[in-house]
Amino acid sequence: MSQAMNWVVLSFIVLGAGVGLLSAEGASSSRPPVIKVGAIFGLNTMYGQIASIAFKAAEEDVNADPSFLRGSKLRILINDAKRSGFLSIMGALQFMETDVVAIIGPQTSIMAHVLSHLANELSVPMLSFTALDPTLSPLQFPFFVQTAPSDLFLMRAVAEMITYYGWSDVVALYNDDDNSRNGVTALGDELEERRCRISYKAVLPLDVVISSPVEIIEELTKIRGMESRIIVVNTFPNTGKMIFEEAERLGMMEKGYVWIATTWLSSLLDSGFPLDTKSLSGVLTLRLHTPDSRKKRDFAARWKNKLSNSNNKTVGLNVYGLYAYDTVWIIARAIKTHLEAGGNLSFSHDAKLSSLKGEALNLSALSRFVEGSQLLDYIMHTKMSGLTGPVQFHQDRSMVQPSYDIINLVDDGFRRIGYWSNHSGLSIVPPESFYSKLSNRSSSNQHLKPVTWPGGTLVTPRGWVFRNNGRRLRIGVPDRASFKDFVSRVNGSSNKVQGYCIDVFEAAVKLLSYPVPHEFIFFGDGLQNPNYNELVNKVTTGVEFDAVVGDVAIVTKRTRIVDFTQPYIESGLVVVAPVSTPTDNPWAFLRPFTPPMWAVTAGLFIVVGAVIWILEHRTNDEFRGPPRRQIITVLWFTFSTMFFSHRENTLSTLGRMVLLIWLFVVLIITSSYTASLTSMLTVQQLNSPIKGVDTLISSTGRIGFQVGSFAENYMVDELNIARSRLVPLGSPEEYANALQNGTVAAIVDERPYVDLFLSDYCKFAIRGQEFTRCGWGFAFPRDSPLAVDMSTAILGLSETGELQRIHDRWLSKSNCSTPNGSQSGDSEQLNVHSFWGMFLVCGIACLVALLIHLFKIVRDFCKHKPEGEVEEEEAVTLPQSSRLKKLQSFLAYVDEKEVETKRRFKRKRSNLSMSIESRQI
């Protein structure tokens, strides 16, 4: 910026010494005959040629209606800057002498940053449709207005295209000027929001400086040796043409590359400049979207007719010609509104400039636009329908409804594959069809038509290759001294590796859609397990290893420096303690129940049998006969009914009710007994006081850990265990010896190692549950696309079952008769308190059944006994003898079979009837 201000000062000096400044005009009348607007463009450039034609056409149309400005004429004064910053400054100063009410331009953002200071000082609105630098803030430059969408929206569109196709790494190729540089900065910010990035910025000298393609070739050669194949070109037309010419010579327009050019390429295509579209086949570019309208079609036809009548011009109409035309109309409408509101167009000397002294400076010649602020306000409140569509500004001075066409160059020209708008994102229908609806930027609503990519392929490129194509990927693997089922050398070889982790990696690589040439490089001496943190750090430098494959745990500290794949095996820290094998006992089957439980169960068994006998004795032949037979029947019936439920069909209703409740109780007791007995016979009882990680922390015993594991730092940093309590161990044999001789009270290690250890050593078991949750993954450098592709491949292995088959092949083995899984504690015996509720229900059912049965028997006894027999007995016997006689009679009645009772009752009734009849005779 200081350099730009120096240009301004230098211009003042040159203007004052060599040109001589004219005296300022006095205040003009409120409606001058000619209203002057300046324009600063390089007429030898594509944008300058198109703008000059559009300016004149707009000037003609404004002046064609005398009533529009009510007698005043609009005049566009064009200053040819000839791509020179100095001439641009000179042109602006000259305009300030001639009392222009506004300036259209400058053409570049570099000069916009410089001349905006002059516009601010002299209150002259400056409008540009080509200087679209996102950093031209209205707060810093209040008199500068962008009449086309800022490049912030252009870069947002590019970023959404990149994420739409699933790419993450981008190379930016641009010129070292404000517009290109700040545009790429905006692209980087937009990509970062979408978890993407610019991996390399290739900076080229300014377009006016390049005289040979040497700089371009150097940068393209660097890009060709990089991983990313997504190249965004944000430059000037001439530089862009040269870039693609050299890229084709270097073989960078072939399959696998993705080229995205900003609006400069679409402008070249629309303007009809010489361009070999065949060499650009597959390139994507963007164009400012302008809705189709009759006004736009008429202007395009008018443009074509003008060109056909001119032998000197061959430039075609592009979108910037439409914006140039609309910019003139924005100024004209603001002037019209200002004049109709009674405003003047007057100029005055700037007191601050006049007070400056210098031998060759005549700053008093510069005029300050008195009503510049009012005219600027009318410009910002413009609301019209132009060639570019609706023209309106937001409060932040950005254009409403910014949108772009997305174009794909093909052999026979180009075709539009979709649109982007800030309202709806990517779509295959024009964005104006969405403006009446609520904004919906969900990924399911983003669509583009198929693309022909470089090389003629229709398959979307993956966007990256291995760096320094041809070099094998250097993969670091730990040279382990123990647990070699995971990773180990093959017969002492220097680079041949085998193991569970290696098989998973190789299987995942086979699922990739591209080859991954690689070689394994051992890390460590093989005598002891290496430090895995040091191994992972080797990936960050990119010097020794390009990746790490092995039993590497995904922990927070490591994820800060590398990218891990999806975990291919679950892991977590567990506690291992000694166990004792239960002694053989012929009475082990009695252990599930306590003695009171056995007694209550047996007592209830007898009670239920007695209740059933009472309920069935009078009606069921199976419950009659000699006492010994009845006892056997009751016991056998009650026992066998637990296994043959059809026996209940021979019982009465009350008997079935009691038996069903008893069956329910027996099933619950039996299932509990079976589960408890199984647990006692198969689960080993721990003889260690360590119940889990909590008791491990609170104890004072020493703790073993595997050399090289993250468990050491975790216990010290996270669990606050003194490092003096920790004992490093290097192999399963050392684990077993340390636990057996009491060197350590327990061992803390990752679950996969522990499972493998317990498959050979049966006297130990896991105590408690895993107290960390993590997994093992393959490590790659940060933002490596291979990490993402390998994660997808690992998920594929899991879905097909191949991951489990690899696990079973290497890790599913055991030399123990019983599993040494996680123990929750000693099994407890089942007691009466566990079942008292069921016992109570069963007892109540038996009692109710007995009461009902007793009531029925008493009722039938009283009903069936003849009255004459009762009276006779009462008259003959004493009261005491009578009660005993009744009890004996009742007991005999209860013992008597119900059928016999009924038969005897009928016989007595018949005899009684015959006796009564004989007496009457």
Side-chain angles (χ1 to χ4, degrees):
M1 189 58 67
S2 61
Q3 182 182 3
M5 294 304 299
N6 291 336
W7 287 359
V8 176
V9 175
L10 178 62
S11 299
F12 286 153
I13 296 173
V14 173
L15 192 62
V19 181
L21 296 175
L22 300 175
S23 60
E25 297 182 7
S28 61
S29 61
S30 60
R31 197 171 285 277
V34 177
I35 302 174
K36 290 175 284 188
V37 174
I40 304 174
F41 275 84
L43 297 182
N44 60 339
T45 65
M46 175 188 66
Y47 296 113
Q49 294 177 33
I50 292 174
S52 62
I53 299 174
F55 291 156
K56 291 302 180 183
E59 179 184 322
E60 291 176 3
D61 293 346
V62 170
N63 295 329
D65 183 4
S67 63
F68 186 79
L69 293 178
R70 296 186 180 181
S72 297
K73 294 290 185 180
L74 183 69
R75 184 180 176 189
I76 308 295
L77 305 175
I78 302 178
N79 181 281
D80 185 5
K82 299 183 184 296
R83 300 189 185 186
S84 169
F86 178 76
L87 293 180
S88 297
I89 297 174
M90 294 291 295
L93 292 172
Q94 289 176 356
F95 286 145
M96 299 306 177
E97 298 174 14
T98 56
D99 297 342
V100 295
V101 298
I103 295 177
I104 303 176
Q107 182 174 332
T108 65
S109 294
I110 291 178
M111 297 315 303
H113 281 278
V114 175
L115 298 181
S116 292
H117 291 283
L118 186 60
N120 292 347
E121 184 65 33
L122 300 178
S123 301
V124 178
M126 186 175 289
L127 295 78
S128 180
F129 52 88
T130 55
L132 303 178
D133 182 354
T135 65
L136 287 166
S137 167
L139 296 177
Q140 185 179 8
F141 308 114
F143 279 84
F144 181 80
V145 180
Q146 293 174 332
T147 57
S150 163
D151 278 353
L152 171 66
F153 302 104
L154 171 64
M155 297 307 170
R156 186 171 297 168
V158 173
E160 293 198 11
M161 290 169 58
I162 290 170
T163 55
Y164 173 78
Y165 289 112
W167 302 316
S168 59
D169 254 0
V170 176
V171 171
L173 188 58
Y174 62 98
N175 287 101
D176 190 17
D177 75 296
D178 289 357
N179 193 74
S180 299
R181 186 189 313 108
N182 294 331
V184 169
T185 300
L187 174 61
D189 294 340
E190 294 292 333
L191 289 173
E192 187 175 353
E193 290 181 6
R194 294 160 177 80
R195 302 190 68 180
C196 304
R197 65 163 188 162
I198 298 177
S199 58
Y200 179 70
K201 294 182 179 180
V203 186
L204 298 174
L206 290 176
D207 185 63
V208 293
V209 178
I210 295 179
S211 57
S212 67
V214 175
E215 296 91 346
I216 294 177
I217 294 175
E218 290 178 353
E219 290 298 334
L220 290 177
T221 303
K222 291 180 183 177
I223 295 172
R224 188 175 58 175
M226 297 178 180
E227 288 185 352
S228 178
R229 286 293 183 263
I230 314 299
I231 307 170
V232 178
V233 183
N234 187 39
T235 182
F236 300 111
N238 288 343
T239 307
K241 289 172 59 179
M242 193 176 296
I243 287 172
F244 281 111
E245 290 172 359
E246 298 302 327
E248 185 180 20
R249 293 190 185 99
L250 293 172
M252 298 177 68
M253 300 300 297
E254 299 174 353
K255 182 179 178 180
Y257 283 90
V258 175
W259 293 87
I260 301 177
T262 51
T263 53
W264 63 267
L265 181 55
S266 61
S267 300
L268 281 176
L269 294 171
D270 293 337
S271 301
F273 279 75
L275 199 63
D276 185 6
T277 56
K278 289 186 178 181
S279 64
L280 296 173
S281 179
V283 176
L284 296 177
T285 185
L286 295 96
R287 174 205 292 144
L288 281 165
H289 174 71
T290 55
D292 188 29
S293 65
R294 182 172 182 178
K295 184 186 297 186
K296 175 182 171 182
R297 291 193 297 270
D298 292 344
F299 185 78
R302 177 181 168 192
W303 185 286
K304 184 176 181 181
N305 293 333
K306 278 192 172 185
L307 290 178
S308 62
N309 295 330
S310 175
N311 296 325
N312 298 325
K313 296 184 181 293
T314 57
V315 65
L317 175 64
N318 64 27
V319 68
Y320 290 99
L322 304 179
Y323 276 98
Y325 182 91
D326 281 354
T327 300
V328 174
W329 272 98
I330 290 173
I331 297 172
R333 285 179 176 273
I335 294 173
K336 178 178 182 296
T337 304
H338 176 70
L339 294 176
E340 289 178 350
N344 296 324
L345 299 176
S346 59
F347 299 84
S348 65
H349 297 297
D350 192 325
K352 288 186 290 184
L353 293 178
S354 300
S355 64
L356 295 176
K357 296 181 180 180
E359 295 180 0
L361 294 180
N362 186 13
L363 300 179
S364 61
L366 300 177
S367 301
R368 181 178 179 274
F369 185 18
V370 178
E371 291 82 16
S373 296
Q374 291 90 331
L375 183 63
L376 177 65
D377 187 62
Y378 288 125
I379 289 174
M380 299 315 304
H381 285 85
T382 298
K383 190 174 183 180
M384 70 178 196
S385 178
L387 298 181
T388 59
V391 177
Q392 190 176 349
F393 297 92
H394 288 299
Q395 290 292 331
D396 62 355
R397 295 196 180 184
S398 63
M399 298 293 294
V400 298
Q401 301 172 356
S403 55
Y404 296 86
D405 299 336
I406 302 176
I407 298 169
N408 180 209
L409 276 70
V410 292
D411 290 341
D412 55 350
F414 60 90
R415 60 189 180 90
R416 184 166 50 203
I417 62 168
Y419 307 86
W420 178 90
S421 75
N422 199 46
H423 179 77
S424 56
L426 301 172
S427 66
I428 57 176
V429 296
E432 49 267 21
S433 60
F434 295 101
Y435 292 144
S436 60
K437 305 174 184 178
L438 293 176
S439 177
N440 188 344
R441 303 296 293 274
S442 64
S443 57
S444 60
N445 282 352
Q446 307 299 296
H447 302 286
L448 289 176
K449 294 179 181 178
V451 177
T452 299
W453 303 100
T457 179
L458 297 178
V459 179
T460 302
R462 69 175 183 269
W464 70 278
V465 295
F466 289 109
R467 190 187 301 244
N468 298 329
N469 199 11
R471 181 176 64 81
R472 300 169 70 87
L473 203 65
R474 297 164 302 178
I475 300 176
V477 294
D479 193 0
R480 294 193 56 87
S482 60
F483 294 108
K484 294 189 175 184
D485 296 80
F486 297 106
V487 180
S488 64
R489 291 178 182 267
V490 176
N491 298 326
S493 173
S494 61
N495 57 0
K496 292 184 179 180
V497 195
Q498 65 181 1
Y500 167 72
C501 304
I502 303 302
D503 281 6
V504 172
F505 176 78
E506 296 289 4
V509 167
K510 291 179 181 178
L511 293 183
L512 299 180
S513 59
Y514 50 89
V516 182
H518 59 273
E519 61 179 336
F520 295 110
I521 303 174
F522 284 101
F523 177 77
D525 56 10
L527 301 178
Q528 63 178 1
N529 297 332
N531 187 299
Y532 278 49
N533 289 332
E534 294 180 5
L535 175 59
V536 172
N537 286 332
K538 298 290 184 181
V539 179
T540 61
T541 62
V543 177
E544 294 189 46
F545 301 138
D546 299 312
V548 167
V549 170
D551 47 337
V552 182
I554 305 173
V555 296
T556 304
K557 182 178 180 180
R558 296 169 185 170
T559 58
R560 294 192 181 107
I561 58 176
V562 296
D563 280 352
F564 281 96
T565 61
Q566 169 82 14
Y568 59 87
I569 186 173
E570 294 299 323
S571 182
L573 294 178
V574 293
V575 178
V576 180
V579 297
S580 60
T581 305
T583 57
D584 294 334
N585 189 342
W587 303 101
F589 70 92
L590 297 175
R591 293 175 59 192
F593 288 169
T594 61
M597 181 66 185
W598 281 114
V600 172
T601 303
L604 186 60
F605 184 89
I606 295 173
V607 169
V608 170
V611 171
I612 294 176
W613 178 85
I614 293 172
L615 297 177
E616 303 297 324
H617 178 68
R618 301 188 67 247
T619 59
N620 196 327
D621 291 337
E622 295 188 36
F623 291 86
R624 300 191 66 81
R628 181 179 179 182
R629 176 189 172 190
Q630 294 186 48
I631 292 174
I632 294 174
T633 300
V634 169
L635 294 177
W636 171 249
F637 190 92
T638 307
F639 177 79
S640 64
T641 305
M642 293 189 295
F643 306 98
F644 307 102
S645 59
H646 68 275
R647 296 294 302 266
E648 66 180 290
N649 296 329
T650 64
L651 302 179
S652 64
T653 302
L654 291 176
R656 284 199 298 269
M657 181 190 73
V658 172
L659 189 59
L660 288 175
I661 294 175
W662 168 243
L663 286 175
F664 174 76
V665 173
V666 169
L667 287 175
I668 296 298
I669 295 176
T670 303
S671 60
S672 301
Y673 172 86
T674 304
S676 181
L677 180 61
T678 302
S679 176
M680 287 182 173
L681 293 179
T682 60
V683 176
Q684 296 174 328
Q685 307 302 309
L686 296 173
N687 61 7
S688 170
I690 304 299
K691 305 297 182 182
V693 66
D694 294 332
T695 55
L696 183 66
I697 296 173
S698 60
S699 69
T700 59
R702 306 187 73 186
I703 305 169
F705 68 92
Q706 184 181 172
V707 175
S709 171
F710 76 96
E712 177 185 11
N713 290 333
Y714 183 87
M715 286 188 286
V716 173
D717 299 336
E718 302 297 332
L719 303 183
N720 297 320
I721 296 176
R723 194 178 295 274
S724 59
R725 293 179 56 193
L726 304 183
V727 179
L729 302 172
S731 66
E733 293 78 10
E734 293 184 18
Y735 281 18
N737 293 333
L739 288 171
Q740 286 176 343
N741 59 30
T743 303
V744 296
I747 290 176
V748 172
D749 203 352
E750 296 176 67
R751 184 63 185 257
Y753 299 121
V754 171
D755 287 342
L756 201 60
F757 167 70
L758 296 180
S759 66
D760 292 324
Y761 295 91
C762 310
K763 296 182 179 181
F764 312 99
I766 296 172
R767 191 58 164 152
Q769 303 296 325
E770 295 182 19
F771 55 93
T772 65
R773 293 290 182 181
C774 61
W776 291 354
F778 306 132
F780 292 90
R782 294 299 299 270
D783 302 315
S784 171
L786 188 57
V788 178
D789 290 352
M790 287 293 288
S791 294
T792 304
I794 290 172
L795 290 175
L797 292 175
S798 178
E799 293 171 356
T800 60
E802 180 62 22
L803 195 62
Q804 185 61 43
R805 285 190 288 270
I806 297 175
H807 179 278
D808 295 342
R809 186 162 60 248
W810 283 98
L811 307 179
S812 292
K813 59 180 182 178
S814 178
N815 297 323
C816 301
S817 58
T818 58
N820 295 347
S822 176
Q823 306 298 320
S824 60
D826 295 349
S827 300
E828 296 183 358
Q829 290 180 300
L830 302 176
N831 52 49
V832 178
H833 297 287
S834 304
F835 300 93
W836 71 268
M838 290 187 297
F839 290 157
L840 180 62
V841 171
C842 186
I844 292 175
C846 293
L847 181 60
V848 171
L850 287 175
L851 291 176
I852 295 174
H853 183 67
L854 181 60
F855 173 78
K856 181 175 179 296
I857 291 177
V858 172
R859 185 195 61 181
D860 292 344
F861 176 75
C862 296
K863 179 179 178 181
H864 295 166
K865 189 174 183 63
E867 294 179 0
E869 183 179 345
V870 174
E871 293 175 354
E872 182 179 353
E873 291 178 354
E874 289 179 351
V876 174
T877 63
L878 296 173
Q880 296 178 351
S881 302
S882 176
R883 285 194 293 270
L884 181 60
K885 186 71 174 179
K886 288 181 180 180
L887 179 60
Q888 292 176 348
S889 178
F890 177 74
L891 293 176
Y893 178 80
V894 170
D895 183 62
E896 187 178 27
K897 190 175 182 179
E898 187 176 3
V899 176
E900 296 295 333
T901 301
K902 292 180 179 180
R903 186 181 302 113
R904 180 174 53 81
F905 175 72
K906 289 181 180 179
R907 185 173 61 252
K908 289 182 178 182
R909 295 277 295 199
S910 177
N911 293 338
L912 182 60
S913 298
M914 292 177 61
S915 175
I916 294 173
E917 288 178 358
S918 63
R919 290 177 182 177
Q920 290 177 350
I921 295 174

